[in-house]
PDB file of all heavy atoms in Angstrom:
ATOM      1  N   TYR M   1     176.982  86.963  87.801  1.00 62.00           N
ATOM      2  CA  TYR M   1     176.407  88.171  88.421  1.00 62.00           C
ATOM      3  C   TYR M   1     175.756  87.818  89.756  1.00 62.00           C
ATOM      4  O   TYR M   1     175.969  88.497  90.772  1.00 62.00           O
ATOM      5  CB  TYR M   1     175.378  88.791  87.471  1.00 62.00           C
ATOM      6  CG  TYR M   1     174.561  89.888  88.112  1.00 62.00           C
ATOM      7  CD1 TYR M   1     175.070  91.185  88.230  1.00 62.00           C
ATOM      8  CD2 TYR M   1     173.280  89.625  88.625  1.00 62.00           C
ATOM      9  CE1 TYR M   1     174.329  92.195  88.828  1.00 62.00           C
ATOM     10  CE2 TYR M   1     172.531  90.631  89.222  1.00 62.00           C
ATOM     11  CZ  TYR M   1     173.060  91.910  89.328  1.00 62.00           C
ATOM     12  OH  TYR M   1     172.325  92.900  89.930  1.00 62.00           O
ATOM     13  N   LYS M   2     174.951  86.738  89.775  1.00 68.00           N
ATOM     14  CA  LYS M   2     174.270  86.322  91.006  1.00 68.00           C
ATOM     15  C   LYS M   2     175.287  85.926  92.076  1.00 68.00           C
ATOM     16  O   LYS M   2     175.130  86.258  93.259  1.00 68.00           O
ATOM     17  CB  LYS M   2     173.334  85.141  90.726  1.00 68.00           C
ATOM     18  CG  LYS M   2     172.090  85.499  89.963  1.00 68.00           C
ATOM     19  CD  LYS M   2     171.138  86.374  90.778  1.00 68.00           C
ATOM     20  CE  LYS M   2     170.457  85.617  91.896  1.00 68.00           C
ATOM     21  NZ  LYS M   2     169.505  86.454  92.649  1.00 68.00           N
ATOM     22  N   HIS M   3     176.320  85.206  91.646  1.00 72.00           N
ATOM     23  CA  HIS M   3     177.340  84.751  92.598  1.00 72.00           C
ATOM     24  C   HIS M   3     178.020  85.941  93.274  1.00 72.00           C
ATOM     25  O   HIS M   3     178.141  85.970  94.512  1.00 72.00           O
ATOM     26  CB  HIS M   3     178.384  83.892  91.879  1.00 72.00           C
ATOM     27  CG  HIS M   3     179.537  83.492  92.731  1.00 72.00           C
ATOM     28  ND1 HIS M   3     179.422  82.585  93.759  1.00 72.00           N
ATOM     29  CD2 HIS M   3     180.846  83.885  92.729  1.00 72.00           C
ATOM     30  CE1 HIS M   3     180.600  82.424  94.347  1.00 72.00           C
ATOM     31  NE2 HIS M   3     181.482  83.199  93.738  1.00 72.00           N
ATOM     32  N   TYR M   4     178.453  86.906  92.479  1.00 80.00           N
ATOM     33  CA  TYR M   4     179.201  88.027  93.027  1.00 80.00           C
ATOM     34  C   TYR M   4     178.315  89.139  93.608  1.00 80.00           C
ATOM     35  O   TYR M   4     178.827  90.163  94.046  1.00 80.00           O
ATOM     36  CB  TYR M   4     180.163  88.588  91.987  1.00 80.00           C
ATOM     37  CG  TYR M   4     181.355  87.681  91.757  1.00 80.00           C
ATOM     38  CD1 TYR M   4     181.691  87.232  90.479  1.00 80.00           C
ATOM     39  CD2 TYR M   4     182.141  87.250  92.829  1.00 80.00           C
ATOM     40  CE1 TYR M   4     182.781  86.396  90.279  1.00 80.00           C
ATOM     41  CE2 TYR M   4     183.220  86.410  92.640  1.00 80.00           C
ATOM     42  CZ  TYR M   4     183.538  85.985  91.362  1.00 80.00           C
ATOM     43  OH  TYR M   4     184.620  85.143  91.174  1.00 80.00           O
ATOM     44  N   ASN M   5     176.994  88.918  93.592  1.00 85.00           N
ATOM     45  CA  ASN M   5     176.080  89.849  94.272  1.00 85.00           C
ATOM     46  C   ASN M   5     175.420  89.187  95.475  1.00 85.00           C
ATOM     47  O   ASN M   5     174.502  89.751  96.070  1.00 85.00           O
ATOM     48  CB  ASN M   5     175.001  90.344  93.297  1.00 85.00           C
ATOM     49  CG  ASN M   5     175.482  91.527  92.471  1.00 85.00           C
ATOM     50  OD1 ASN M   5     175.415  92.673  92.890  1.00 85.00           O
ATOM     51  ND2 ASN M   5     176.006  91.211  91.309  1.00 85.00           N
ATOM     52  N   TYR M   6     175.901  88.008  95.811  1.00 88.00           N
ATOM     53  CA  TYR M   6     175.291  87.211  96.879  1.00 88.00           C
ATOM     54  C   TYR M   6     175.249  87.980  98.196  1.00 88.00           C
ATOM     55  O   TYR M   6     174.202  88.074  98.839  1.00 88.00           O
ATOM     56  CB  TYR M   6     176.078  85.910  97.050  1.00 88.00           C
ATOM     57  CG  TYR M   6     175.510  84.974  98.086  1.00 88.00           C
ATOM     58  CD1 TYR M   6     174.496  84.090  97.772  1.00 88.00           C
ATOM     59  CD2 TYR M   6     175.999  84.980  99.392  1.00 88.00           C
ATOM     60  CE1 TYR M   6     173.969  83.221  98.727  1.00 88.00           C
ATOM     61  CE2 TYR M   6     175.485  84.127 100.355  1.00 88.00           C
ATOM     62  CZ  TYR M   6     174.471  83.246 100.016  1.00 88.00           C
ATOM     63  OH  TYR M   6     173.957  82.400 100.963  1.00 88.00           O
ATOM     64  N   TRP M   7     176.363  88.567  98.595  1.00 88.00           N
ATOM     65  CA  TRP M   7     176.409  89.246  99.897  1.00 88.00           C
ATOM     66  C   TRP M   7     175.729  90.607  99.847  1.00 88.00           C
ATOM     67  O   TRP M   7     175.160  91.061 100.841  1.00 88.00           O
ATOM     68  CB  TRP M   7     177.846  89.372 100.384  1.00 88.00           C
ATOM     69  CG  TRP M   7     178.476  88.045 100.653  1.00 88.00           C
ATOM     70  CD1 TRP M   7     179.591  87.517 100.061  1.00 88.00           C
ATOM     71  CD2 TRP M   7     178.006  87.054 101.578  1.00 88.00           C
ATOM     72  NE1 TRP M   7     179.835  86.254 100.552  1.00 88.00           N
ATOM     73  CE2 TRP M   7     178.888  85.946 101.493  1.00 88.00           C
ATOM     74  CE3 TRP M   7     176.920  86.986 102.463  1.00 88.00           C
ATOM     75  CZ2 TRP M   7     178.721  84.804 102.260  1.00 88.00           C
ATOM     76  CZ3 TRP M   7     176.753  85.842 103.232  1.00 88.00           C
ATOM     77  CH2 TRP M   7     177.641  84.764 103.128  1.00 88.00           C
ATOM     78  N   THR M   8     175.744  91.257  98.684  1.00 89.00           N
ATOM     79  CA  THR M   8     175.029  92.526  98.529  1.00 89.00           C
ATOM     80  C   THR M   8     173.530  92.320  98.739  1.00 89.00           C
ATOM     81  O   THR M   8     172.867  93.094  99.454  1.00 89.00           O
ATOM     82  CB  THR M   8     175.275  93.111  97.120  1.00 89.00           C
ATOM     83  OG1 THR M   8     176.681  93.304  96.930  1.00 89.00           O
ATOM     84  CG2 THR M   8     174.565  94.451  96.956  1.00 89.00           C
ATOM     85  N   GLU M   9     172.987  91.273  98.114  1.00 87.00           N
ATOM     86  CA  GLU M   9     171.555  90.976  98.220  1.00 87.00           C
ATOM     87  C   GLU M   9     171.130  90.667  99.650  1.00 87.00           C
ATOM     88  O   GLU M   9     169.983  90.876 100.029  1.00 87.00           O
ATOM     89  CB  GLU M   9     171.197  89.796  97.310  1.00 87.00           C
ATOM     90  CG  GLU M   9     171.294  90.126  95.822  1.00 87.00           C
ATOM     91  CD  GLU M   9     171.095  88.897  94.952  1.00 87.00           C
ATOM     92  OE1 GLU M   9     170.927  87.792  95.519  1.00 87.00           O
ATOM     93  OE2 GLU M   9     171.115  89.042  93.717  1.00 87.00           O
ATOM     94  N   ARG M  10     172.070  90.170 100.456  1.00 89.00           N
ATOM     95  CA  ARG M  10     171.737  89.769 101.825  1.00 89.00           C
ATOM     96  C   ARG M  10     172.130  90.810 102.860  1.00 89.00           C
ATOM     97  O   ARG M  10     171.991  90.585 104.065  1.00 89.00           O
ATOM     98  CB  ARG M  10     172.404  88.417 102.136  1.00 89.00           C
ATOM     99  CG  ARG M  10     171.659  87.271 101.466  1.00 89.00           C
ATOM    100  CD  ARG M  10     172.535  86.035 101.263  1.00 89.00           C
ATOM    101  NE  ARG M  10     171.746  84.996 100.596  1.00 89.00           N
ATOM    102  CZ  ARG M  10     171.482  84.982  99.292  1.00 89.00           C
ATOM    103  NH1 ARG M  10     171.927  85.969  98.513  1.00 89.00           N
ATOM    104  NH2 ARG M  10     170.765  84.000  98.769  1.00 89.00           N
ATOM    105  N   GLY M  11     172.644  91.931 102.406  1.00 89.00           N
ATOM    106  CA  GLY M  11     172.970  93.014 103.323  1.00 89.00           C
ATOM    107  C   GLY M  11     174.101  92.686 104.283  1.00 89.00           C
ATOM    108  O   GLY M  11     174.123  93.171 105.418  1.00 89.00           O
ATOM    109  N   VAL M  12     175.061  91.880 103.812  1.00 90.00           N
ATOM    110  CA  VAL M  12     176.209  91.490 104.645  1.00 90.00           C
ATOM    111  C   VAL M  12     177.425  92.318 104.236  1.00 90.00           C
ATOM    112  O   VAL M  12     177.693  92.500 103.037  1.00 90.00           O
ATOM    113  CB  VAL M  12     176.514  89.981 104.479  1.00 90.00           C
ATOM    114  CG1 VAL M  12     177.780  89.594 105.246  1.00 90.00           C
ATOM    115  CG2 VAL M  12     175.330  89.140 104.956  1.00 90.00           C
ATOM    116  N   VAL M  13     178.161  92.830 105.221  1.00 92.00           N
ATOM    117  CA  VAL M  13     179.359  93.627 104.907  1.00 92.00           C
ATOM    118  C   VAL M  13     180.348  92.785 104.107  1.00 92.00           C
ATOM    119  O   VAL M  13     180.546  91.598 104.383  1.00 92.00           O
ATOM    120  CB  VAL M  13     180.032  94.172 106.184  1.00 92.00           C
ATOM    121  CG1 VAL M  13     179.118  95.146 106.897  1.00 92.00           C
ATOM    122  CG2 VAL M  13     180.456  93.048 107.123  1.00 92.00           C
ATOM    123  N   HIS M  14     180.938  93.401 103.085  1.00 90.00           N
ATOM    124  CA  HIS M  14     181.881  92.660 102.238  1.00 90.00           C
ATOM    125  C   HIS M  14     182.669  93.650 101.386  1.00 90.00           C
ATOM    126  O   HIS M  14     182.312  94.830 101.286  1.00 90.00           O
ATOM    127  CB  HIS M  14     181.134  91.678 101.333  1.00 90.00           C
ATOM    128  CG  HIS M  14     180.245  92.345 100.324  1.00 90.00           C
ATOM    129  ND1 HIS M  14     179.011  92.894 100.663  1.00 90.00           N
ATOM    130  CD2 HIS M  14     180.403  92.583  98.992  1.00 90.00           C
ATOM    131  CE1 HIS M  14     178.457  93.419  99.587  1.00 90.00           C
ATOM    132  NE2 HIS M  14     179.279  93.259  98.562  1.00 90.00           N
ATOM    133  N   ASP M  15     183.729  93.158 100.762  1.00 89.00           N
ATOM    134  CA  ASP M  15     184.498  93.947  99.803  1.00 89.00           C
ATOM    135  C   ASP M  15     184.094  93.550  98.386  1.00 89.00           C
ATOM    136  O   ASP M  15     183.692  92.403  98.140  1.00 89.00           O
ATOM    137  CB  ASP M  15     186.005  93.706  99.987  1.00 89.00           C
ATOM    138  CG  ASP M  15     186.555  94.390 101.220  1.00 89.00           C
ATOM    139  OD1 ASP M  15     185.893  95.328 101.719  1.00 89.00           O
ATOM    140  OD2 ASP M  15     187.636  93.985 101.692  1.00 89.00           O
ATOM    141  N   LYS M  16     184.242  94.462  97.462  1.00 90.00           N
ATOM    142  CA  LYS M  16     183.922  94.178  96.058  1.00 90.00           C
ATOM    143  C   LYS M  16     184.882  93.114  95.529  1.00 90.00           C
ATOM    144  O   LYS M  16     186.100  93.222  95.685  1.00 90.00           O
ATOM    145  CB  LYS M  16     184.047  95.451  95.232  1.00 90.00           C
ATOM    146  CG  LYS M  16     183.651  95.263  93.777  1.00 90.00           C
ATOM    147  CD  LYS M  16     183.797  96.564  92.998  1.00 90.00           C
ATOM    148  CE  LYS M  16     183.455  96.342  91.518  1.00 90.00           C
ATOM    149  NZ  LYS M  16     183.623  97.575  90.721  1.00 90.00           N
ATOM    150  N   PRO M  17     184.357  92.057  94.900  1.00 86.00           N
ATOM    151  CA  PRO M  17     185.224  90.987  94.416  1.00 86.00           C
ATOM    152  C   PRO M  17     185.767  91.235  93.005  1.00 86.00           C
ATOM    153  O   PRO M  17     185.203  92.039  92.246  1.00 86.00           O
ATOM    154  CB  PRO M  17     184.290  89.773  94.408  1.00 86.00           C
ATOM    155  CG  PRO M  17     182.942  90.364  94.094  1.00 86.00           C
ATOM    156  CD  PRO M  17     182.920  91.728  94.743  1.00 86.00           C
ATOM    157  N   ASP M  18     186.843  90.541  92.661  1.00 83.00           N
ATOM    158  CA  ASP M  18     187.361  90.515  91.293  1.00 83.00           C
ATOM    159  C   ASP M  18     186.865  89.244  90.614  1.00 83.00           C
ATOM    160  O   ASP M  18     186.704  88.202  91.258  1.00 83.00           O
ATOM    161  CB  ASP M  18     188.900  90.510  91.298  1.00 83.00           C
ATOM    162  CG  ASP M  18     189.471  91.825  91.800  1.00 83.00           C
ATOM    163  OD1 ASP M  18     188.922  92.872  91.442  1.00 83.00           O
ATOM    164  OD2 ASP M  18     190.466  91.786  92.541  1.00 83.00           O
ATOM    165  N   LEU M  19     186.641  89.327  89.314  1.00 79.00           N
ATOM    166  CA  LEU M  19     186.160  88.173  88.562  1.00 79.00           C
ATOM    167  C   LEU M  19     187.116  86.992  88.731  1.00 79.00           C
ATOM    168  O   LEU M  19     188.330  87.136  88.561  1.00 79.00           O
ATOM    169  CB  LEU M  19     186.033  88.548  87.083  1.00 79.00           C
ATOM    170  CG  LEU M  19     185.390  87.496  86.160  1.00 79.00           C
ATOM    171  CD1 LEU M  19     183.935  87.247  86.575  1.00 79.00           C
ATOM    172  CD2 LEU M  19     185.455  87.958  84.706  1.00 79.00           C
ATOM    173  N   PHE M  20     186.560  85.842  89.066  1.00 77.00           N
ATOM    174  CA  PHE M  20     187.272  84.577  89.279  1.00 77.00           C
ATOM    175  C   PHE M  20     188.114  84.560  90.555  1.00 77.00           C
ATOM    176  O   PHE M  20     188.129  83.574  91.283  1.00 77.00           O
ATOM    177  CB  PHE M  20     188.142  84.199  88.074  1.00 77.00           C
ATOM    178  CG  PHE M  20     187.358  84.035  86.813  1.00 77.00           C
ATOM    179  CD1 PHE M  20     187.665  84.773  85.680  1.00 77.00           C
ATOM    180  CD2 PHE M  20     186.280  83.159  86.754  1.00 77.00           C
ATOM    181  CE1 PHE M  20     186.940  84.623  84.505  1.00 77.00           C
ATOM    182  CE2 PHE M  20     185.534  83.009  85.591  1.00 77.00           C
ATOM    183  CZ  PHE M  20     185.864  83.743  84.457  1.00 77.00           C
ATOM    184  N   TYR M  21     188.831  85.657  90.841  1.00 81.00           N
ATOM    185  CA  TYR M  21     189.674  85.684  92.041  1.00 81.00           C
ATOM    186  C   TYR M  21     188.863  85.960  93.313  1.00 81.00           C
ATOM    187  O   TYR M  21     189.317  85.668  94.420  1.00 81.00           O
ATOM    188  CB  TYR M  21     190.764  86.749  91.915  1.00 81.00           C
ATOM    189  CG  TYR M  21     191.836  86.391  90.920  1.00 81.00           C
ATOM    190  CD1 TYR M  21     191.826  86.931  89.631  1.00 81.00           C
ATOM    191  CD2 TYR M  21     192.868  85.517  91.259  1.00 81.00           C
ATOM    192  CE1 TYR M  21     192.812  86.605  88.703  1.00 81.00           C
ATOM    193  CE2 TYR M  21     193.860  85.198  90.339  1.00 81.00           C
ATOM    194  CZ  TYR M  21     193.824  85.738  89.059  1.00 81.00           C
ATOM    195  OH  TYR M  21     194.798  85.410  88.153  1.00 81.00           O
ATOM    196  N   GLY M  22     187.689  86.551  93.155  1.00 81.00           N
ATOM    197  CA  GLY M  22     186.929  86.936  94.333  1.00 81.00           C
ATOM    198  C   GLY M  22     187.685  87.983  95.123  1.00 81.00           C
ATOM    199  O   GLY M  22     188.139  88.998  94.576  1.00 81.00           O
ATOM    200  N   ASN M  23     187.885  87.738  96.425  1.00 86.00           N
ATOM    201  CA  ASN M  23     188.670  88.651  97.277  1.00 86.00           C
ATOM    202  C   ASN M  23     190.073  88.113  97.532  1.00 86.00           C
ATOM    203  O   ASN M  23     190.729  88.514  98.486  1.00 86.00           O
ATOM    204  CB  ASN M  23     187.950  88.866  98.617  1.00 86.00           C
ATOM    205  CG  ASN M  23     186.568  89.459  98.459  1.00 86.00           C
ATOM    206  OD1 ASN M  23     185.585  88.885  98.897  1.00 86.00           O
ATOM    207  ND2 ASN M  23     186.475  90.620  97.810  1.00 86.00           N
ATOM    208  N   MET M  24     190.522  87.214  96.658  1.00 85.00           N
ATOM    209  CA  MET M  24     191.807  86.526  96.880  1.00 85.00           C
ATOM    210  C   MET M  24     192.890  86.913  95.880  1.00 85.00           C
ATOM    211  O   MET M  24     193.902  86.234  95.793  1.00 85.00           O
ATOM    212  CB  MET M  24     191.582  85.007  96.816  1.00 85.00           C
ATOM    213  CG  MET M  24     190.707  84.431  97.913  1.00 85.00           C
ATOM    214  SD  MET M  24     191.540  84.410  99.508  1.00 85.00           S
ATOM    215  CE  MET M  24     192.713  83.069  99.238  1.00 85.00           C
ATOM    216  N   ARG M  25     192.698  87.974  95.133  1.00 83.00           N
ATOM    217  CA  ARG M  25     193.682  88.319  94.100  1.00 83.00           C
ATOM    218  C   ARG M  25     195.079  88.551  94.690  1.00 83.00           C
ATOM    219  O   ARG M  25     196.084  88.089  94.148  1.00 83.00           O
ATOM    220  CB  ARG M  25     193.243  89.557  93.312  1.00 83.00           C
ATOM    221  CG  ARG M  25     194.249  89.952  92.236  1.00 83.00           C
ATOM    222  CD  ARG M  25     193.776  91.152  91.433  1.00 83.00           C
ATOM    223  NE  ARG M  25     192.755  90.806  90.465  1.00 83.00           N
ATOM    224  CZ  ARG M  25     192.993  90.284  89.263  1.00 83.00           C
ATOM    225  NH1 ARG M  25     194.232  90.020  88.887  1.00 83.00           N
ATOM    226  NH2 ARG M  25     192.008  90.023  88.449  1.00 83.00           N
ATOM    227  N   ALA M  26     195.148  89.273  95.797  1.00 75.00           N
ATOM    228  CA  ALA M  26     196.461  89.616  96.367  1.00 75.00           C
ATOM    229  C   ALA M  26     197.086  88.463  97.142  1.00 75.00           C
ATOM    230  O   ALA M  26     198.313  88.334  97.201  1.00 75.00           O
ATOM    231  CB  ALA M  26     196.328  90.832  97.273  1.00 75.00           C
ATOM    232  N   ALA M  27     196.240  87.596  97.734  1.00 74.00           N
ATOM    233  CA  ALA M  27     196.749  86.511  98.592  1.00 74.00           C
ATOM    234  C   ALA M  27     197.617  85.551  97.804  1.00 74.00           C
ATOM    235  O   ALA M  27     197.208  85.021  96.776  1.00 74.00           O
ATOM    236  CB  ALA M  27     195.577  85.761  99.224  1.00 74.00           C
ATOM    237  N   GLY M  28     198.826  85.336  98.303  1.00 69.00           N
ATOM    238  CA  GLY M  28     199.741  84.423  97.636  1.00 69.00           C
ATOM    239  C   GLY M  28     200.442  85.014  96.433  1.00 69.00           C
ATOM    240  O   GLY M  28     201.222  84.346  95.758  1.00 69.00           O
ATOM    241  N   ARG M  29     200.158  86.278  96.156  1.00 75.00           N
ATOM    242  CA  ARG M  29     200.810  86.953  95.038  1.00 75.00           C
ATOM    243  C   ARG M  29     201.629  88.145  95.544  1.00 75.00           C
ATOM    244  O   ARG M  29     202.844  88.154  95.470  1.00 75.00           O
ATOM    245  CB  ARG M  29     199.772  87.444  94.017  1.00 75.00           C
ATOM    246  CG  ARG M  29     199.200  86.340  93.150  1.00 75.00           C
ATOM    247  CD  ARG M  29     198.035  86.857  92.329  1.00 75.00           C
ATOM    248  NE  ARG M  29     197.632  85.879  91.334  1.00 75.00           N
ATOM    249  CZ  ARG M  29     197.870  85.985  90.040  1.00 75.00           C
ATOM    250  NH1 ARG M  29     198.513  87.036  89.575  1.00 75.00           N
ATOM    251  NH2 ARG M  29     197.470  85.047  89.200  1.00 75.00           N
ATOM    252  N   THR M  30     200.906  89.167  96.038  1.00 78.00           N
ATOM    253  CA  THR M  30     201.593  90.377  96.505  1.00 78.00           C
ATOM    254  C   THR M  30     201.621  90.484  98.020  1.00 78.00           C
ATOM    255  O   THR M  30     202.257  91.385  98.560  1.00 78.00           O
ATOM    256  CB  THR M  30     200.917  91.632  95.921  1.00 78.00           C
ATOM    257  OG1 THR M  30     199.540  91.650  96.334  1.00 78.00           O
ATOM    258  CG2 THR M  30     200.992  91.623  94.408  1.00 78.00           C
ATOM    259  N   GLN M  31     200.890  89.594  98.710  1.00 82.00           N
ATOM    260  CA  GLN M  31     200.912  89.613 100.174  1.00 82.00           C
ATOM    261  C   GLN M  31     200.690  88.201 100.706  1.00 82.00           C
ATOM    262  O   GLN M  31     200.048  87.376 100.045  1.00 82.00           O
ATOM    263  CB  GLN M  31     199.856  90.567 100.729  1.00 82.00           C
ATOM    264  CG  GLN M  31     198.436  90.203 100.406  1.00 82.00           C
ATOM    265  CD  GLN M  31     197.418  91.198 100.949  1.00 82.00           C
ATOM    266  OE1 GLN M  31     196.295  90.838 101.239  1.00 82.00           O
ATOM    267  NE2 GLN M  31     197.791  92.468 101.082  1.00 82.00           N
ATOM    268  N   PRO M  32     201.225  87.906 101.896  1.00 84.00           N
ATOM    269  CA  PRO M  32     201.000  86.580 102.490  1.00 84.00           C
ATOM    270  C   PRO M  32     199.514  86.336 102.725  1.00 84.00           C
ATOM    271  O   PRO M  32     198.734  87.283 102.892  1.00 84.00           O
ATOM    272  CB  PRO M  32     201.758  86.654 103.826  1.00 84.00           C
ATOM    273  CG  PRO M  32     202.717  87.786 103.686  1.00 84.00           C
ATOM    274  CD  PRO M  32     202.068  88.771 102.751  1.00 84.00           C
ATOM    275  N   LEU M  33     199.127  85.078 102.751  1.00 83.00           N
ATOM    276  CA  LEU M  33     197.728  84.704 102.947  1.00 83.00           C
ATOM    277  C   LEU M  33     197.133  85.362 104.190  1.00 83.00           C
ATOM    278  O   LEU M  33     196.015  85.877 104.165  1.00 83.00           O
ATOM    279  CB  LEU M  33     197.622  83.173 103.061  1.00 83.00           C
ATOM    280  CG  LEU M  33     196.227  82.597 103.266  1.00 83.00           C
ATOM    281  CD1 LEU M  33     195.368  82.816 102.017  1.00 83.00           C
ATOM    282  CD2 LEU M  33     196.304  81.110 103.594  1.00 83.00           C
ATOM    283  N   LYS M  34     197.900  85.390 105.270  1.00 87.00           N
ATOM    284  CA  LYS M  34     197.381  85.926 106.535  1.00 87.00           C
ATOM    285  C   LYS M  34     196.994  87.398 106.419  1.00 87.00           C
ATOM    286  O   LYS M  34     196.051  87.856 107.079  1.00 87.00           O
ATOM    287  CB  LYS M  34     198.411  85.745 107.653  1.00 87.00           C
ATOM    288  CG  LYS M  34     199.615  86.681 107.595  1.00 87.00           C
ATOM    289  CD  LYS M  34     200.605  86.392 108.697  1.00 87.00           C
ATOM    290  CE  LYS M  34     201.751  87.401 108.716  1.00 87.00           C
ATOM    291  NZ  LYS M  34     201.425  88.629 109.426  1.00 87.00           N
ATOM    292  N   GLN M  35     197.706  88.129 105.569  1.00 89.00           N
ATOM    293  CA  GLN M  35     197.484  89.566 105.472  1.00 89.00           C
ATOM    294  C   GLN M  35     196.110  89.893 104.900  1.00 89.00           C
ATOM    295  O   GLN M  35     195.440  90.841 105.342  1.00 89.00           O
ATOM    296  CB  GLN M  35     198.576  90.202 104.610  1.00 89.00           C
ATOM    297  CG  GLN M  35     198.612  91.725 104.652  1.00 89.00           C
ATOM    298  CD  GLN M  35     198.928  92.267 106.038  1.00 89.00           C
ATOM    299  OE1 GLN M  35     199.586  91.600 106.838  1.00 89.00           O
ATOM    300  NE2 GLN M  35     198.441  93.461 106.322  1.00 89.00           N
TER     301      GLN M  35
END
């Protein structure tokens, strides 16, 4: 919980993460890394 609320607590813009994948679920699966 603390890990995935790190940026919320600091008021930094971010996207909601997925458990374990973070913001990387699509990368290398459904879209190229660069995307």
Side-chain angles (χ1 to χ4, degrees):
Y1 170 81
K2 287 292 288 182
H3 174 70
Y4 287 126
N5 276 275
Y6 182 85
W7 295 120
T8 301
E9 291 173 358
R10 284 157 181 78
V12 175
V13 295
H14 65 283
D15 286 341
K16 183 180 177 182
D18 292 320
L19 187 63
F20 300 123
Y21 289 100
N23 300 122
M24 295 288 287
R25 179 178 283 278
R29 284 171 170 253
T30 59
Q31 63 181 209
L33 180 67
K34 74 182 185 83
Q35 191 63 27

